[in-house]
Coordinates of all heavy atoms in Angstrom, one line a residue:
M1 N 0.9 -1.2 0.0 CA 0.0 0.0 0.0 C 0.9 1.2 0.0 O 1.4 1.7 1.0 CB -0.9 0.0 1.2 CG -2.0 1.0 1.2 SD -3.2 0.8 -0.1 CE -4.2 -0.6 0.6
Q2 N 1.1 1.8 -1.2 CA 2.1 2.9 -1.3 C 1.7 4.1 -0.5 O 2.5 4.8 0.1 CB 2.1 3.3 -2.8 CG 3.3 4.3 -3.1 CD 4.6 3.6 -2.8 OE1 4.9 2.5 -3.2 NE2 5.5 4.4 -2.2
M3 N 0.4 4.3 -0.3 CA -0.2 5.4 0.4 C 0.4 5.4 1.9 O 0.8 6.4 2.4 CB -1.7 5.4 0.4 CG -2.3 6.3 1.3 SD -4.1 6.0 1.5 CE -4.0 4.4 2.3
L4 N 0.4 4.2 2.5 CA 0.8 4.1 3.8 C 2.3 4.2 3.9 O 2.9 4.9 4.8 CB 0.4 2.7 4.4 CG -1.1 2.5 4.6 CD1 -1.4 1.1 5.1 CD2 -1.7 3.5 5.5
Q5 N 3.0 3.7 2.9 CA 4.5 3.8 2.9 C 4.9 5.2 2.7 O 5.8 5.7 3.3 CB 5.0 2.9 1.8 CG 4.8 1.4 2.2 CD 5.1 0.5 1.0 OE1 5.0 0.9 -0.2 NE2 5.4 -0.8 1.3
D6 N 4.1 5.9 1.9 CA 4.4 7.4 1.7 C 4.3 8.2 3.0 O 4.9 9.2 3.2 CB 3.5 7.9 0.6 CG 3.8 7.5 -0.8 OD1 4.9 6.9 -0.9 OD2 3.0 7.7 -1.7
A7 N 3.4 7.7 3.8 CA 3.1 8.4 5.1 C 4.2 8.0 6.1 O 4.1 8.4 7.3 CB 1.7 8.1 5.6
G8 N 5.1 7.1 5.7 CA 6.1 6.7 6.7 C 5.8 5.6 7.6 O 6.4 5.3 8.5
I9 N 4.7 4.9 7.2 CA 4.3 3.7 8.0 C 4.8 2.4 7.4 O 4.5 2.1 6.2 CB 2.7 3.7 8.1 CG1 2.2 4.9 8.7 CG2 2.3 2.4 8.8 CD1 0.7 5.0 8.8
P10 N 5.6 1.7 8.1 CA 6.1 0.5 7.6 C 5.1 -0.6 7.5 O 4.4 -0.9 8.5 CB 7.2 0.1 8.6 CG 6.8 0.7 9.8 CD 6.0 2.0 9.5
V11 N 4.9 -1.2 6.3 CA 3.9 -2.3 6.2 C 4.4 -3.4 5.4 O 5.4 -3.3 4.6 CB 2.6 -1.7 5.4 CG1 1.9 -0.6 6.2 CG2 3.0 -1.2 4.0
L12 N 3.8 -4.5 5.5 CA 4.1 -5.7 4.7 C 2.8 -6.0 3.8 O 1.7 -5.9 4.3 CB 4.4 -6.9 5.5 CG 5.6 -6.9 6.4 CD1 5.6 -8.1 7.3 CD2 6.9 -6.8 5.6
L13 N 3.0 -6.3 2.6 CA 1.9 -6.6 1.7 C 1.9 -8.1 1.5 O 2.8 -8.7 0.9 CB 2.0 -5.9 0.3 CG 2.1 -4.4 0.4 CD1 2.2 -3.8 -1.0 CD2 0.8 -3.8 1.0
K14 N 0.9 -8.7 2.1 CA 0.9 -10.2 2.2 C 0.8 -10.8 0.8 O 1.4 -11.8 0.5 CB -0.3 -10.6 3.0 CG -0.3 -12.1 3.3 CD -1.6 -12.5 4.1 CE -1.6 -14.0 4.3 NZ -2.8 -14.4 5.0
N15 N 0.0 -10.1 -0.1 CA -0.2 -10.7 -1.4 C 0.7 -10.0 -2.5 O 0.3 -9.9 -3.6 CB -1.7 -10.6 -1.8 CG -2.5 -11.4 -0.9 OD1 -2.0 -12.3 -0.2 ND2 -3.8 -11.1 -0.8
D16 N 1.7 -9.4 -2.0 CA 2.6 -8.6 -2.9 C 3.0 -9.3 -4.2 O 3.1 -8.7 -5.2 CB 3.8 -8.1 -2.1 CG 4.5 -6.9 -2.7 OD1 3.8 -6.1 -3.3 OD2 5.7 -6.7 -2.5
F17 N 3.2 -10.6 -4.1 CA 3.7 -11.3 -5.2 C 2.7 -11.3 -6.4 O 3.1 -11.4 -7.5 CB 4.0 -12.8 -4.8 CG 2.8 -13.5 -4.4 CD1 2.1 -14.3 -5.4 CD2 2.3 -13.5 -3.1 CE1 1.0 -15.0 -5.0 CE2 1.2 -14.2 -2.7 CZ 0.5 -15.0 -3.7
I18 N 1.4 -11.1 -6.1 CA 0.4 -11.1 -7.1 C 0.6 -9.9 -8.1 O 0.3 -10.1 -9.3 CB -1.0 -11.0 -6.5 CG1 -1.3 -12.3 -5.7 CG2 -2.1 -10.7 -7.5 CD1 -2.6 -12.2 -4.9
Q19 N 1.1 -8.8 -7.6 CA 1.2 -7.7 -8.5 C 2.0 -8.0 -9.7 O 1.7 -7.4 -10.8 CB 1.9 -6.5 -7.7 CG 1.0 -6.0 -6.6 CD 1.6 -4.7 -6.0 OE1 2.1 -3.9 -6.7 NE2 1.5 -4.6 -4.7
G20 N 3.1 -8.8 -9.6 CA 3.8 -9.1 -10.8 C 3.1 -9.9 -11.8 O 3.4 -9.9 -13.0
A21 N 2.1 -10.7 -11.3 CA 1.4 -11.6 -12.2 C 0.2 -11.0 -12.9 O -0.2 -11.5 -13.9 CB 0.9 -12.8 -11.3
I22 N -0.2 -9.9 -12.4 CA -1.5 -9.3 -13.0 C -1.2 -8.1 -13.8 O -2.2 -7.5 -14.3 CB -2.5 -9.0 -11.9 CG1 -1.8 -8.0 -10.9 CG2 -3.0 -10.2 -11.2 CD1 -2.8 -7.5 -9.9
G23 N 0.0 -7.7 -14.0 CA 0.3 -6.6 -14.9 C -0.2 -5.3 -14.5 O 0.1 -4.9 -13.4
E24 N -1.1 -4.7 -15.3 CA -1.5 -3.3 -15.1 C -2.7 -3.1 -14.3 O -3.2 -2.0 -14.1 CB -1.6 -2.7 -16.4 CG -0.3 -2.7 -17.2 CD -0.5 -2.0 -18.6 OE1 -1.6 -1.6 -18.9 OE2 0.5 -2.0 -19.3
I25 N -3.3 -4.2 -13.8 CA -4.5 -4.1 -12.9 C -4.1 -3.4 -11.6 O -3.2 -3.8 -11.0 CB -5.1 -5.4 -12.6 CG1 -5.5 -6.1 -13.9 CG2 -6.3 -5.3 -11.7 CD1 -6.0 -7.5 -13.7
P26 N -4.8 -2.3 -11.3 CA -4.4 -1.6 -10.0 C -4.5 -2.5 -8.8 O -5.4 -3.3 -8.7 CB -5.5 -0.5 -9.9 CG -6.0 -0.3 -11.3 CD -5.9 -1.7 -12.0
A27 N -3.5 -2.3 -8.0 CA -3.4 -3.1 -6.8 C -4.6 -3.1 -5.9 O -5.0 -4.1 -5.3 CB -2.1 -2.7 -6.0
V28 N -5.3 -2.0 -5.9 CA -6.4 -1.8 -5.0 C -7.6 -2.7 -5.4 O -8.5 -2.9 -4.6 CB -7.0 -0.4 -4.9 CG1 -5.9 0.5 -4.2 CG2 -7.3 0.1 -6.3
D29 N -7.6 -3.3 -6.6 CA -8.7 -4.1 -7.0 C -8.4 -5.6 -6.7 O -9.2 -6.5 -7.1 CB -8.9 -4.0 -8.6 CG -9.5 -2.7 -8.9 OD1 -10.1 -2.0 -8.0 OD2 -9.4 -2.3 -10.1
N30 N -7.3 -5.9 -6.0 CA -7.0 -7.3 -5.9 C -6.9 -7.7 -4.4 O -6.2 -8.7 -4.1 CB -5.7 -7.6 -6.6 CG -5.9 -7.5 -8.1 OD1 -6.5 -8.4 -8.7 ND2 -5.6 -6.3 -8.7
D31 N -7.5 -7.0 -3.6 CA -7.6 -7.4 -2.2 C -6.3 -7.7 -1.5 O -6.1 -8.7 -0.8 CB -8.6 -8.6 -2.0 CG -10.0 -8.2 -2.4 OD1 -10.4 -7.1 -2.2 OD2 -10.7 -9.1 -2.8
I32 N -5.4 -6.8 -1.8 CA -4.1 -7.0 -1.1 C -4.2 -6.8 0.4 O -4.8 -5.8 0.8 CB -3.0 -6.1 -1.8 CG1 -2.7 -6.6 -3.2 CG2 -1.8 -6.0 -0.9 CD1 -1.7 -5.7 -3.9
E33 N -3.7 -7.7 1.1 CA -3.8 -7.5 2.6 C -2.6 -6.7 3.1 O -1.4 -7.0 2.7 CB -3.8 -8.9 3.3 CG -5.1 -9.6 3.0 CD -5.1 -11.0 3.7 OE1 -4.5 -11.0 4.8 OE2 -5.6 -11.9 3.1
V34 N -2.8 -5.7 3.9 CA -1.8 -4.9 4.4 C -1.5 -5.3 5.9 O -2.5 -5.3 6.7 CB -2.1 -3.4 4.3 CG1 -1.0 -2.6 4.9 CG2 -2.4 -3.0 2.9
W35 N -0.3 -5.6 6.2 CA 0.0 -6.0 7.5 C 1.0 -4.9 8.1 O 2.0 -4.7 7.5 CB 0.7 -7.3 7.5 CG -0.2 -8.5 7.1 CD1 -0.6 -8.7 5.9 CD2 -0.7 -9.5 8.0 NE1 -1.5 -9.8 5.9 CE2 -1.5 -10.3 7.2 CE3 -0.6 -9.8 9.3 CZ2 -2.2 -11.4 7.7 CZ3 -1.2 -10.9 9.8 CH2 -2.0 -11.7 9.0
L36 N 0.6 -4.4 9.2 CA 1.4 -3.4 9.8 C 2.6 -4.1 10.5 O 2.4 -5.1 11.1 CB 0.6 -2.6 10.8 CG -0.5 -1.7 10.2 CD1 -1.3 -1.1 11.4 CD2 0.0 -0.7 9.3
V37 N 3.7 -3.5 10.3 CA 4.9 -4.1 10.9 C 4.9 -3.9 12.4 O 5.3 -4.7 13.2 CB 6.2 -3.4 10.3 CG1 7.5 -3.9 11.1 CG2 6.3 -3.7 8.8
D38 N 4.3 -2.8 12.8 CA 4.3 -2.5 14.3 C 2.9 -1.9 14.6 O 2.4 -1.0 14.0 CB 5.3 -1.4 14.6 CG 5.5 -1.3 16.1 OD1 4.5 -1.4 16.9 OD2 6.6 -1.1 16.6
D39 N 2.3 -2.5 15.6 CA 0.9 -2.1 15.9 C 0.7 -0.7 16.4 O -0.4 -0.2 16.4 CB 0.4 -3.1 17.0 CG -1.2 -3.2 16.9 OD1 -1.7 -3.3 15.8 OD2 -1.8 -3.2 18.0
E40 N 1.8 -0.1 16.7 CA 1.7 1.3 17.2 C 1.3 2.3 16.0 O 0.8 3.4 16.3 CB 3.0 1.8 17.8 CG 4.1 2.1 16.7 CD 5.4 2.6 17.4 OE1 6.1 1.7 18.0 OE2 5.7 3.8 17.2
W41 N 1.4 1.8 14.8 CA 0.9 2.5 13.6 C -0.5 2.4 13.3 O -1.1 3.0 12.4 CB 1.7 2.1 12.4 CG 3.2 2.5 12.5 CD1 4.2 1.7 12.8 CD2 3.7 3.8 12.2 NE1 5.4 2.4 12.8 CE2 5.1 3.7 12.4 CE3 3.2 5.0 11.9 CZ2 6.0 4.8 12.3 CZ3 4.1 6.1 11.7 CH2 5.4 6.0 11.9
R42 N -1.2 1.5 14.1 CA -2.6 1.1 13.8 C -3.5 2.3 13.6 O -4.2 2.4 12.6 CB -3.1 0.2 14.9 CG -4.5 -0.3 14.6 CD -4.6 -1.1 13.2 NE -5.9 -1.5 13.0 CZ -6.4 -2.7 13.3 NH1 -5.6 -3.5 14.0 NH2 -7.6 -3.1 13.1
S43 N -3.6 3.2 14.5 CA -4.6 4.3 14.5 C -4.3 5.2 13.3 O -5.2 5.7 12.6 CB -4.6 5.1 15.8 OG -3.4 5.7 16.0
R44 N -3.0 5.5 13.0 CA -2.6 6.3 11.9 C -3.0 5.6 10.6 O -3.6 6.2 9.7 CB -1.1 6.5 11.9 CG -0.6 7.3 10.8 CD -0.6 8.8 11.1 NE 0.0 9.6 10.0 CZ -0.6 10.3 9.1 NH1 -1.9 10.5 9.2 NH2 0.0 11.0 8.2
A45 N -2.8 4.3 10.5 CA -3.1 3.6 9.3 C -4.6 3.5 9.1 O -5.1 3.7 8.0 CB -2.5 2.2 9.4
D46 N -5.3 3.3 10.2 CA -6.8 3.3 10.1 C -7.3 4.6 9.5 O -8.2 4.6 8.7 CB -7.4 3.0 11.4 CG -7.3 1.5 11.8 OD1 -7.0 0.7 10.9 OD2 -7.6 1.2 13.0
A47 N -6.8 5.7 10.0 CA -7.2 7.0 9.5 C -7.0 7.2 8.1 O -7.8 7.7 7.3 CB -6.6 8.1 10.4
L48 N -5.8 6.8 7.6 CA -5.4 6.9 6.2 C -6.3 6.0 5.3 O -6.8 6.4 4.3 CB -4.0 6.5 6.0 CG -2.9 7.5 6.4 CD1 -1.6 6.9 6.4 CD2 -3.0 8.7 5.4
L49 N -6.6 4.8 5.8 CA -7.4 3.9 5.0 C -8.9 4.4 5.0 O -9.5 4.3 3.9 CB -7.4 2.5 5.7 CG -6.1 1.8 5.4 CD1 -6.1 0.5 6.2 CD2 -5.9 1.4 4.0
A50 N -9.3 5.0 6.1 CA -10.7 5.6 6.1 C -10.8 6.7 5.0 O -11.7 6.9 4.3 CB -11.0 6.1 7.4
Q51 N -9.7 7.6 5.0 CA -9.7 8.6 4.0 C -9.6 8.1 2.6 O -10.3 8.6 1.7 CB -8.4 9.5 4.3 CG -8.3 10.7 3.4 CD -9.4 11.7 3.5 OE1 -9.7 12.1 4.6 NE2 -10.1 12.0 2.4
W52 N -8.9 7.0 2.4 CA -8.7 6.4 1.1 C -10.1 5.9 0.7 O -10.5 6.1 -0.5 CB -7.7 5.3 1.2 CG -7.6 4.6 -0.1 CD1 -7.0 5.0 -1.3 CD2 -8.1 3.2 -0.4 NE1 -7.1 4.0 -2.2 CE2 -7.7 3.0 -1.7 CE3 -8.7 2.3 0.4 CZ2 -8.0 1.7 -2.3 CZ3 -9.1 1.1 -0.2 CH2 -8.7 0.8 -1.6
E53 N -10.8 5.2 1.6 CA -12.1 4.7 1.2 C -13.1 5.8 0.9 O -13.9 5.7 0.0 CB -12.6 3.8 2.3 CG -11.8 2.5 2.4 CD -12.4 1.6 3.5 OE1 -13.3 2.0 4.2 OE2 -11.9 0.5 3.5
A54 N -13.0 6.9 1.6 CA -13.9 8.1 1.4 C -13.6 8.6 0.0 O -14.5 8.9 -0.8 CB -13.7 9.1 2.4
D55 N -12.3 8.8 -0.3 CA -12.0 9.2 -1.7 C -12.5 8.3 -2.8 O -12.9 8.7 -3.8 CB -10.4 9.4 -1.8 CG -9.9 10.5 -1.0 OD1 -10.7 11.4 -0.5 OD2 -8.7 10.6 -0.8
R56 N -12.3 7.0 -2.5 CA -12.7 6.0 -3.5 C -14.2 6.1 -3.7 O -14.7 6.0 -4.9 CB -12.4 4.6 -3.0 CG -12.7 3.5 -4.0 CD -12.5 2.2 -3.4 NE -13.4 2.0 -2.3 CZ -13.6 0.8 -1.6 NH1 -12.8 -0.2 -1.9 NH2 -14.4 0.7 -0.6
D57 N -15.0 6.3 -2.7 CA -16.5 6.5 -2.8 C -16.8 7.6 -3.7 O -17.7 7.6 -4.5 CB -17.1 6.7 -1.4 CG -17.1 5.3 -0.6 OD1 -16.9 4.3 -1.2 OD2 -17.4 5.4 0.6
V58 N -16.1 8.7 -3.6 CA -16.3 9.9 -4.4 C -16.1 9.6 -5.8 O -16.7 10.2 -6.7 CB -15.5 11.1 -3.9 CG1 -15.5 12.2 -4.8 CG2 -15.9 11.5 -2.5
H59 N -15.1 8.7 -6.1 CA -14.7 8.5 -7.5 C -15.4 7.4 -8.1 O -14.8 6.6 -8.9 CB -13.2 8.3 -7.5 CG -12.4 9.6 -7.2 ND1 -11.8 9.8 -6.0 CD2 -12.3 10.8 -7.8 CE1 -11.2 11.0 -6.0 NE2 -11.5 11.6 -7.1
G60 N -16.7 7.2 -7.9 CA -17.4 6.3 -8.7 C -17.5 4.8 -8.2 O -17.8 3.9 -9.1
Y61 N -17.3 4.5 -7.0 CA -17.5 3.2 -6.5 C -18.9 3.2 -5.9 O -19.9 3.6 -6.4 CB -16.4 2.7 -5.6 CG -15.1 2.5 -6.4 CD1 -14.3 3.5 -6.8 CD2 -14.7 1.2 -6.6 CE1 -13.2 3.3 -7.6 CE2 -13.6 0.9 -7.4 CZ -12.8 2.0 -7.8 OH -11.7 1.7 -8.5
A62 N -19.0 2.6 -4.7 CA -20.3 2.6 -4.0 C -20.8 4.0 -3.8 O -19.9 4.9 -3.6 CB -20.2 1.9 -2.7
W63 N -22.1 4.3 -3.8 CA -22.6 5.6 -3.6 C -23.8 5.5 -2.8 O -24.5 4.5 -2.6 CB -22.9 6.3 -5.0 CG -23.8 5.5 -5.9 CD1 -23.4 4.4 -6.7 CD2 -25.2 5.8 -6.2 NE1 -24.5 4.0 -7.4 CE2 -25.6 4.8 -7.1 CE3 -26.1 6.7 -5.7 CZ2 -26.9 4.8 -7.6 CZ3 -27.4 6.7 -6.2 CH2 -27.8 5.7 -7.1
V64 N -24.1 6.7 -2.2 CA -25.3 6.8 -1.3 C -26.4 7.6 -2.0 O -26.1 8.7 -2.5 CB -24.9 7.4 0.0 CG1 -26.1 7.6 0.9 CG2 -23.8 6.6 0.7
C65 N -27.6 7.1 -2.0 CA -28.7 7.8 -2.6 C -29.0 9.1 -1.9 O -29.1 9.1 -0.6 CB -29.9 6.9 -2.6 SG -31.4 7.7 -3.3
T66 N -29.1 10.2 -2.6 CA -29.4 11.5 -2.0 C -30.9 11.6 -1.6 O -31.3 12.5 -0.9 CB -29.0 12.6 -2.9 OG1 -29.7 12.5 -4.2 CG2 -27.5 12.7 -3.1
E67 N -31.7 10.7 -2.2 CA -33.2 10.8 -1.9 C -33.5 10.0 -0.7 O -34.3 10.5 0.2 CB -33.9 10.2 -3.1 CG -33.8 11.1 -4.4 CD -34.3 12.5 -4.2 OE1 -35.4 12.6 -3.6 OE2 -33.7 13.4 -4.7
C68 N -33.0 8.7 -0.6 CA -33.5 7.9 0.5 C -32.3 7.5 1.4 O -32.6 6.9 2.5 CB -34.2 6.7 0.0 SG -33.1 5.5 -0.9
G69 N -31.1 7.8 1.0 CA -30.0 7.4 1.9 C -29.5 6.0 1.8 O -28.6 5.6 2.6
E70 N -30.0 5.2 0.9 CA -29.6 3.8 0.8 C -28.2 3.8 0.2 O -27.9 4.6 -0.7 CB -30.6 3.0 0.0 CG -31.9 2.7 0.7 CD -31.7 1.7 1.8 OE1 -30.6 1.1 1.9 OE2 -32.6 1.6 2.6
D71 N -27.4 2.8 0.5 CA -26.1 2.5 -0.1 C -26.4 1.8 -1.4 O -27.2 0.9 -1.5 CB -25.2 1.7 0.8 CG -24.8 2.4 2.0 OD1 -24.6 3.6 1.9 OD2 -24.7 1.8 3.1
N72 N -25.6 2.2 -2.5 CA -25.8 1.5 -3.8 C -24.4 1.1 -4.3 O -23.4 1.8 -4.1 CB -26.4 2.5 -4.8 CG -27.9 2.7 -4.5 OD1 -28.7 1.9 -5.0 ND2 -28.2 3.7 -3.8
E73 N -24.4 -0.1 -4.9 CA -23.1 -0.5 -5.5 C -22.8 0.4 -6.7 O -23.6 1.0 -7.4 CB -23.2 -2.0 -6.0 CG -23.5 -2.9 -4.8 CD -22.4 -3.0 -3.8 OE1 -21.2 -2.8 -4.2 OE2 -22.6 -3.2 -2.6
A74 N -21.5 0.3 -7.1 CA -21.0 1.2 -8.2 C -21.7 1.0 -9.5 O -21.9 1.9 -10.3 CB -19.5 0.9 -8.4
E75 N -22.1 -0.3 -9.8 CA -22.7 -0.5 -11.1 C -24.1 -0.1 -11.2 O -24.7 -0.1 -12.3 CB -22.6 -2.0 -11.4 CG -23.3 -2.9 -10.4 CD -22.4 -3.4 -9.3 OE1 -21.4 -2.7 -9.0 OE2 -22.6 -4.6 -8.9
F76 N -24.8 0.4 -10.1 CA -26.1 0.8 -10.2 C -26.2 2.3 -10.7 O -25.6 3.2 -10.1 CB -26.8 0.7 -8.9 CG -27.0 -0.7 -8.4 CD1 -27.1 -1.0 -7.1 CD2 -27.2 -1.7 -9.3 CE1 -27.3 -2.3 -6.7 CE2 -27.3 -3.0 -8.9 CZ -27.4 -3.3 -7.6
G77 N -26.9 2.6 -11.7 CA -27.1 3.9 -12.2 C -28.2 4.7 -11.6 O -28.3 5.9 -11.6
V78 N -29.1 3.9 -11.0 CA -30.2 4.4 -10.2 C -30.3 3.7 -8.9 O -29.8 2.6 -8.7 CB -31.6 4.3 -10.9 CG1 -31.6 5.1 -12.3 CG2 -31.9 2.8 -11.2
C79 N -30.9 4.3 -7.9 CA -31.0 3.7 -6.6 C -31.8 2.4 -6.7 O -32.9 2.4 -7.2 CB -31.7 4.7 -5.6 SG -32.0 4.0 -4.0
W80 N -31.3 1.4 -6.0 CA -32.1 0.1 -6.0 C -33.4 0.2 -5.2 O -34.3 -0.6 -5.5 CB -31.2 -1.0 -5.5 CG -30.9 -0.9 -4.0 CD1 -29.7 -0.3 -3.5 CD2 -31.6 -1.3 -2.9 NE1 -29.8 -0.3 -2.2 CE2 -30.9 -0.9 -1.8 CE3 -32.9 -1.9 -2.7 CZ2 -31.4 -1.1 -0.5 CZ3 -33.4 -2.1 -1.5 CH2 -32.6 -1.7 -0.3
S81 N -33.4 1.2 -4.3 CA -34.5 1.3 -3.4 C -35.6 2.2 -3.9 O -36.8 1.8 -3.9 CB -34.0 1.8 -2.0 OG -35.1 1.9 -1.1
C82 N -35.3 3.4 -4.4 CA -36.3 4.3 -4.8 C -36.2 4.8 -6.2 O -36.9 5.6 -6.7 CB -36.2 5.6 -3.9 SG -34.8 6.6 -4.2
Q83 N -35.2 4.2 -7.0 CA -35.0 4.5 -8.4 C -34.6 5.9 -8.7 O -34.8 6.4 -9.8 CB -36.3 4.1 -9.2 CG -36.4 2.6 -9.5 CD -36.8 1.8 -8.3 OE1 -37.8 2.1 -7.7 NE2 -36.0 0.8 -8.0
A84 N -34.2 6.6 -7.7 CA -33.7 8.0 -8.0 C -32.4 7.9 -8.8 O -31.6 6.9 -8.7 CB -33.4 8.7 -6.6
S85 N -32.1 8.9 -9.6 CA -30.9 8.9 -10.4 C -29.7 9.0 -9.5 O -29.7 9.6 -8.5 CB -30.9 10.0 -11.4 OG -32.0 9.8 -12.3
R86 N -28.6 8.4 -10.0 CA -27.3 8.5 -9.3 C -26.9 10.0 -9.4 O -27.0 10.7 -10.4 CB -26.3 7.7 -10.1 CG -24.9 7.7 -9.4 CD -24.0 6.7 -10.2 NE -22.7 6.6 -9.6 CZ -21.9 5.6 -9.7 NH1 -22.3 4.5 -10.4 NH2 -20.7 5.6 -9.1
P87 N -26.5 10.5 -8.2 CA -26.1 11.9 -8.2 C -24.9 12.2 -9.0 O -24.0 11.4 -9.3 CB -25.8 12.2 -6.7 CG -25.6 10.9 -6.1 CD -26.4 9.9 -6.9
Ligands
ZN1 ZN1 -32.9 6.0 -3.0

């Protein structure tokens, strides 16, 4: 997880070897497990990951309906619950 490493947090990527096998597929799509080297980094890493997930939501993954507040998967163009258009 380059983001964590950039923040100075030492991590191990359990599935790191997969990256060489899948070519250009972004690492975030392959459920790479991040293992913190030292548990003292946990809260910092959690905060970064929460931020990362928030950013990801903004960029077209899962979304929340503005009409009814239901969570929708990325592939839905309209809300599964109330059929409101994706914002
Ligand atoms: Zn809705």
Side-chain angles (χ1 to χ4, degrees):
M1 190 66 75
Q2 190 64 43
M3 172 190 66
L4 294 177
Q5 292 167 336
D6 287 348
I9 298 176
V11 296
L12 296 173
L13 299 180
K14 188 182 180 187
N15 299 339
D16 200 27
F17 66 93
I18 291 176
Q19 290 187 42
I22 56 173
E24 298 178 358
I25 299 172
V28 292
D29 287 342
N30 293 281
D31 293 331
I32 289 177
E33 294 182 31
V34 178
W35 293 71
L36 295 176
V37 174
D38 191 321
D39 207 41
E40 75 180 72
W41 292 101
R42 182 57 183 270
S43 60
R44 178 90 175 109
D46 282 346
L48 282 167
L49 287 171
Q51 180 64 52
W52 176 73
E53 290 183 354
D55 288 345
R56 185 187 62 176
D57 286 346
V58 169
H59 292 108
Y61 288 75
W63 54 284
V64 176
C65 178
T66 56
E67 295 297 319
C68 69
E70 288 289 347
D71 293 325
N72 287 276
E73 298 297 328
E75 58 266 33
F76 293 153
V78 297
C79 176
W80 64 267
S81 179
C82 73
Q83 281 75 54
S85 295
R86 183 175 181 154

